[in-house]
Amino acid sequence: MKPWKIQGIGFCLFAAAFLFPAVGNVSFESGPGTASGWYCAYFTAMDVVFFPEMLYRNHGNVGLSEWLLMLSGFVVPFVLVYLLLCILAKARMARLYLAVAILIGVVAAWLYFYTQFNVPDTQRTVPLIGHYIWILGILIMLSPEILSRFLDRES
C-alpha cells in the first residue's frame, strides 16, 4: 500500500476521534462527565497559549501535570503541519522531527493520565474511546515516515 494511503487512513481516524468522548470522569462545573476530542484539543491548545502566564503567576512553580498537558497540546498543530509537509512532499527531515515531537506529545498525554492515579475519583481524568482512536490515527499516520527511516538504514 502506498504511504499516502496509509497516512490518509490515519488522518481519517485522527479526525474522527474528535467526534467521540476523549476523556471521562472529569469534574466540570456541572459535575463529572465526559469531554469530546474537540474540547480536549481546545483545552490543551489554551494550555499552550496561556502556559507562560501560568508560569509567571506561579513564580515558575508549575506541577508536572501542567507541563505534560502543555506538551500534549502541541500534538494537533504539529500533526497539521506534518500533513501539510506530506502533501507538499517536502522537508523530509522536518517531517521526521515533527513525527518525533508528535510522539513525545503523545507520551506526555499518557504520562498525564498516569499522574491522575493519585487524584480523587471525582477529579481524575481517564482516557476514553476518542483518545484511543486519536492515538491509533496518529500511529498509523506516522508509521510510513518512521518505518521508511528504518528500512532505508537496512538497505
Side-chain angles (χ1 to χ4, degrees):
M1 187 179 286
K2 301 246 184 225
W4 66 268
K5 289 182 181 179
I6 295 170
Q7 289 168 326
I9 292 167
F11 178 73
C12 288
L13 286 169
F14 173 81
F18 289 99
L19 303 175
F20 291 94
V23 295
N25 203 23
V26 182
S27 182
F28 296 118
E29 291 175 8
S30 61
T34 63
S36 70
W38 287 113
Y39 180 84
C40 291
Y42 173 78
F43 181 80
T44 57
M46 290 299 102
D47 201 40
V48 168
V49 170
F50 293 110
F51 195 76
E53 179 185 337
M54 188 185 339
L55 277 174
Y56 176 75
R57 267 184 309 167
N58 296 318
H59 307 289
N61 296 326
V62 178
L64 176 63
S65 61
E66 285 84 7
W67 281 99
L68 294 171
L69 271 179
M70 187 267 305
L71 284 174
S72 67
F74 284 104
V75 172
V76 173
F78 283 179
V79 164
L80 297 177
V81 172
Y82 173 81
L83 286 173
L84 180 65
L85 292 176
C86 286
I87 290 169
L88 299 174
K90 300 281 182 194
R92 188 168 188 227
M93 285 306 292
R95 286 196 323 259
L96 176 63
Y97 293 138
L98 276 171
V100 170
I102 291 165
L103 292 175
I104 289 170
V106 166
V107 169
W110 279 96
L111 289 174
Y112 170 77
F113 290 127
Y114 179 76
T115 64
Q116 296 294 295
F117 284 119
N118 295 326
V119 174
D121 285 344
T122 57
Q123 298 172 347
R124 184 176 303 151
T125 306
V126 295
L128 296 177
I129 188 69
H131 184 77
Y132 294 110
I133 295 171
W134 186 69
I135 297 295
L136 180 63
I138 289 170
L139 293 177
I140 291 172
M141 194 181 333
L142 297 180
S143 63
E145 192 75 42
I146 303 298
L147 292 175
S148 71
R149 307 304 168 138
F150 289 112
L151 295 176
D152 286 349
R153 285 188 184 159
E154 292 176 6
S155 304

